[in-house]
C-alpha cells in the first residue's frame, strides 16, 4: 500500500498478488478520509448501478465505518446515466448490505436514484463555450454545450465517488468524472459527448485514455464547485486488484493504467464468428450492446458477431420507441442524412452506431463492415425492423463455439467488460501497437 503526495493521488493499493484485502481497503480509506475533514459535513456518495461489476460494497462499508459517526449525513446517489432506477433491494445488493444491516447500521443512509430526464431533479451549472468545445474535440464540433447535474450534488458539502475503471466505448476508460457526466448529469451534455464518441468511432476510442470525450468529461467535472474525492476500483473477476484514492482525475489516471494491463486481451488474428455471451446484469440491449463494443476490434471484415442473451427481451425501456424508429446503423448513415436524424437524442444515435459497428453509406446503400446478430428473446420481427440479424437462442449451444479459435471462431462466455484487441490492429482500430496506447 502506497501513500502518494503529489498530483492529487492520496493513496493507492496495487498488491503483487492482485487481491486487495479488506484491511488494505480500510487503510486507503483512512488515509483519504481524515475524520476531522468530514465532521458535521453532509456527504454524498455516488456509486454506479448494477451494470458495472466491482466490489463497491467493501469500499462503501469502510467509508461508512470511517465517517458514519462524524458526518452529519452520509447518503448514496446511484449514477444511472439513462438506465432504469434501482429498487431498495437492488441498491442493498450493489452495496453488499443485508436487509438486517440496512435496518440497523445503515438505516440512516438515504438512497437516491438519479433522474436524468426530470427537470426538477437537475441544476444548470453553466456551459462549455463553442470555442472551447472546438479545442477539446480537435475541431470536430463547435457548439455551446449546456452542463446540468443532479441537484443533490450541489446540496451536499462533499462528494465521494466510488466506481470501477474498465475500457469504455464512449470515453476510452470509464471511471473518475464519468460517474458525474453522464452518471448524474442532464441530457444535453450526455447526448453531446456520446455522439462525439460515436463520430470518432468505438474502435478508435475504446481502450485509449486521452480521448476527446475524456477531455470534455473532465472539463465538465471541473465545473462542479464542490470538494470531490474519488475511489477508483480495478476489478479482476470478483477480486479487487487495485484501489486508488484522490481527485477524480488523478485516481482515474492511475487506475486506468492497471485496467489497461488487466482488461485488454490481445489476439493474433481476427475472427469470422464470435459468440458474445451477455451476463444477467445486462437486462436490455441498451446495456447488452457492450458485448459488441468490446469485441468489434477483433471481428473480421465480413464476419458475424452473435450477442447471445436469452434473458434479454427489451431493446431499451427508456429509449425503445426512438430505437424502433431509428434502427441500428453505421455512423455514416446518420452523418450523411443529418437533417433527418438530428432531432433524435444523440445518445440514442451513438448507441445505434456502437452496436451496429463500422460501415459505409454510399449512394443510399448501407454496407456493414461485419454483421451483428441477436440471439435473444427479442422477436425476429423486431430484430429485422431495427436492422439487426436474428437467431433463435434455442438453436445455439455454447459448446459448439468453444475451442475453435484457430478456425476463426471465438467464444466469450462473459462478455461486456474485457476488451479484445488485435496485437497488430488495422487502421480503422487505431493501427498502433499495444505499447503505444
Amino acid at each position: 500500500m502506497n501513500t502518494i503526495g503529489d498530483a492529487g493521488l492520496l493513496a493507492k493499493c496495487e498488491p503483487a498478488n492482485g487481491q486487495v484485502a479488506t484491511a488494505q481497503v480500510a487503510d486507503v480509506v483512512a488515509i483519504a478520509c481524515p475524520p476531522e475533514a468530514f465532521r458535521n459535513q453532509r456527504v454524498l456518495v455516488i456509486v454506479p448501478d448494477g451494470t458495472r461489476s466491482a466490489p463497491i460494497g467493501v469500499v462503501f462499508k469502510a467509508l461508512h465505518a470511517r465517517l458514519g459517526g462524524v458526518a452529519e449525513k452520509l447518503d448514496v446517489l446511484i449514477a444511472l446515466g439513462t438506465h432504469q432506477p434501482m429498487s431498495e433491494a437492488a441498491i442493498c445488493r450493489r452495496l453488499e448490505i443485508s436487509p438486517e444491516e440496512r435496518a440497523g447500521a445503515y438505516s440512516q443512509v438515504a438512497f437516491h436514484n438519479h433522474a436524468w430526464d426530470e427537470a426538477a431533479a437537475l441544476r444548470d451549472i453553466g456551459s462549455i463555450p463553442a470555442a472551447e468545445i472546438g479545442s477539446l474535440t480537435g475541431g470536430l464540433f463547435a457548439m455551446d454545450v449546456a452542463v446540468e447535474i443532479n441537484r443533490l450534488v450541489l446540496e451536499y458539502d462533499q462528494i465521494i465517488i466510488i466506481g470501477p475503471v474498465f475500457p469504455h466505448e464512449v470515453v476510452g476508460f470509464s471511471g473518475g468524472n464519468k460517474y458525474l457526466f453522464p452518471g448524474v448529469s442532464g441530457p444535453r451534455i450526455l447526448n453531446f459527448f456520446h455522439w462525439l464518441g460515436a463520430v470518432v468511432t468505438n474502435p478508435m476510442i475504446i481502450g485509449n485514455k486521452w480521448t476527446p470525450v475524456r477531455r470534455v468529461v473532465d472539463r465538465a467535472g471541473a465545473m462542479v464547485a464542490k470538494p470531490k474525492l474519488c475511489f477508483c476500483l480495478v476489478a479482476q473477476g470478483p477480486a479487487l486488484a487495485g484501489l486508488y484514492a484522490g481527485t477524480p482525475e488523478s485516481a482515474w489516471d492511475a487506475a486506468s493504467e492497471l485496467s489497461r494491463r488487466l482488461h485488454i486481451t490481445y489476439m493474433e488474428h481476427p475472427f469470422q464468428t464470435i459468440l458474445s455471451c451477455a451476463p444477467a446484469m445486462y437486462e436490455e440491449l441498451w446495456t447488452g450492446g457492450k458485448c459488441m463494443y468490446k469485441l468489434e476490434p477483433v471481428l473480421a471484415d465480413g464476419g458475424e458477431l452473435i450477442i447471445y442473451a436469452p434473458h434479454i427481451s427489451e431493446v431499451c425501456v427508456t429509449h425503445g420507441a426512438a430505437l424502433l424508429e431509428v434502427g441500428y446503423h453505421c455512423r455514416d448513415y446518420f452523418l450523411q442524412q443529418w437533417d433527418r436524424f438530428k432531432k433524435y437524442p444523440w445518445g440514442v444515435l451513438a448507441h445505434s452506431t456502437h452496436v451496429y459497428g463500422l460501415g459505409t453509406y454510399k449512394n443510399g446503400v448501407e454496407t456493414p463492415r461485419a454483421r451483428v446478430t441477436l440471439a435473444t428473446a427479442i422477436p425476429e420481427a423486431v430484430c429485422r425492423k431495427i436492422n439487426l440479424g436474428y437467431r433463435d437462442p434455442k438453436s445455439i449451444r455454447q459448446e459448439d463455439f468453444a475451442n475453435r479459435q484457430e478456425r476463426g471462431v471465438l467464444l466469450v462466455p462473459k462478455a461486456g467488460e474485457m476488451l479484445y484487441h488485435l496485437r497488430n490492429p488495422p487502421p480503422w482500430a487505431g493501427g498502433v501497437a499495444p505499447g503505444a496506447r
Side-chain angles (χ1 to χ4, degrees):
M1 209 271 292
N2 302 103
T3 303
I4 310 298
D6 59 3
L9 188 62
L10 300 174
K12 71 175 183 179
C13 187
E14 196 178 277
N17 68 358
Q19 295 195 6
V20 180
T22 301
Q24 292 173 307
V25 171
D27 289 343
V28 171
V29 170
I31 292 169
C33 299
E36 287 306 313
F38 292 86
R39 189 170 299 280
N40 300 322
Q41 297 283 289
R42 294 164 299 166
V43 181
L44 184 65
V45 181
I46 297 175
V47 303
D49 67 6
T51 63
R52 271 70 175 163
S53 64
I56 301 294
V58 67
V59 181
F60 174 74
K61 288 181 175 180
L63 190 67
H64 187 272
R66 183 73 170 171
L67 301 180
V70 299
E72 178 183 330
K73 289 286 292 178
L74 185 65
D75 296 333
V76 172
L77 174 62
I78 306 297
L80 291 170
T82 65
H83 298 172
Q84 292 299 297
M86 297 181 73
S87 66
E88 170 97 1
I91 295 173
C92 285
R93 289 193 295 272
R94 168 81 286 184
L95 300 176
E96 301 171 46
I97 294 172
S98 70
E100 293 75 21
E101 288 174 319
R102 175 58 171 151
Y106 301 95
S107 61
Q108 299 305 306
V109 178
F111 293 166
H112 302 279
N113 279 296
H114 175 55
W116 69 278
D117 58 348
E118 293 182 14
L122 303 171
R123 291 292 181 269
D124 189 329
I125 59 173
S127 65
I128 306 174
E132 193 171 356
I133 286 293
S135 176
L136 293 170
T137 66
L140 288 174
F141 289 84
M143 56 185 287
D144 293 343
V145 177
V147 180
E148 297 169 308
I149 197 162
N150 191 295
R151 63 176 178 78
L152 294 175
V153 172
L154 307 179
E155 294 175 3
Y156 284 73
D157 301 309
Q158 302 213 34
I159 306 302
I160 298 179
I161 300 167
I162 306 173
V165 174
F166 285 102
H168 193 272
E169 62 279 359
V170 174
V171 70
F173 282 88
S174 63
N177 282 316
K178 189 179 177 297
Y179 289 111
L180 298 175
F181 302 97
V184 295
S185 76
R188 288 183 285 185
I189 188 167
L190 182 156
N191 282 314
F192 168 74
F193 71 65
H194 275 84
W195 183 238
L196 167 61
V199 169
V200 178
T201 73
N202 166 51
M204 295 294 284
I205 288 277
I206 198 165
N208 289 301
K209 284 183 64 170
W210 303 112
T211 65
V213 182
R214 173 56 63 177
R215 292 194 289 270
V216 171
V217 167
D218 282 349
R219 175 65 180 86
M223 297 171 67
V224 180
K226 290 286 180 177
K228 298 185 290 290
L229 173 65
C230 185
F231 291 93
C232 284
L233 290 67
V234 178
Q236 190 169 32
L240 181 60
L243 177 63
Y244 308 81
T247 65
E249 298 83 5
S250 63
W252 169 82
D253 188 12
S256 60
E257 289 299 321
L258 181 59
S259 177
R260 179 157 54 184
R261 298 198 297 271
L262 296 183
H263 297 152
I264 303 178
T265 299
Y266 290 100
M267 311 300 286
E268 300 299 331
H269 60 81
F271 297 90
Q272 284 293 327
T273 303
I274 300 175
L275 186 67
S276 185
C277 304
M281 67 181 180
Y282 301 141
E283 297 178 345
E284 54 188 2
L285 185 57
W286 184 262
T287 50
K290 291 180 182 292
C291 297
M292 167 59 171
Y293 311 158
K294 300 290 172 43
L295 285 152
E296 184 179 7
V298 298
L299 179 59
D301 292 347
E304 180 186 29
L305 182 139
I306 304 164
I307 297 177
Y308 177 65
H311 64 282
I312 290 180
S313 59
E314 290 272 2
V315 175
C316 181
V317 173
T318 302
H319 305 291
L323 284 164
L324 285 174
E325 290 183 25
V326 169
Y328 286 80
H329 300 281
C330 69
R331 176 198 65 180
D332 291 359
Y333 179 90
F334 295 119
L335 287 178
Q336 294 185 31
Q337 304 177 85
W338 189 238
D339 285 343
R340 175 184 170 192
F341 291 106
K342 64 184 180 183
K343 66 179 181 180
Y344 289 97
W346 292 5
V348 169
L349 303 184
H351 163 79
S352 170
T353 70
H354 288 144
V355 174
Y356 188 85
L358 299 180
T360 60
Y361 185 73
K362 296 179 180 178
N363 301 318
V365 177
E366 182 177 33
T367 305
R369 185 188 70 82
R371 294 172 293 133
V372 176
T373 297
L374 303 184
T376 68
I378 298 172
E380 180 175 6
V382 175
C383 294
R384 306 297 182 194
K385 178 179 175 63
I386 60 178
N387 200 34
L388 296 175
Y390 170 83
R391 283 202 191 189
D392 183 347
K394 295 178 182 177
S395 70
I396 289 178
R397 299 193 315 154
Q398 292 188 45
E399 56 266 33
D400 292 341
F401 296 81
N403 305 313
R404 298 179 60 193
Q405 292 188 22
E406 294 306 313
R407 287 176 281 176
V409 178
L410 177 64
L411 168 66
V412 182
K414 183 184 177 184
E417 289 183 332
M418 289 292 295
L419 171 62
Y420 288 73
H421 257 306
L422 292 177
R423 198 167 296 282
N424 295 298
W428 54 259
V432 297
R437 288 186 173 274

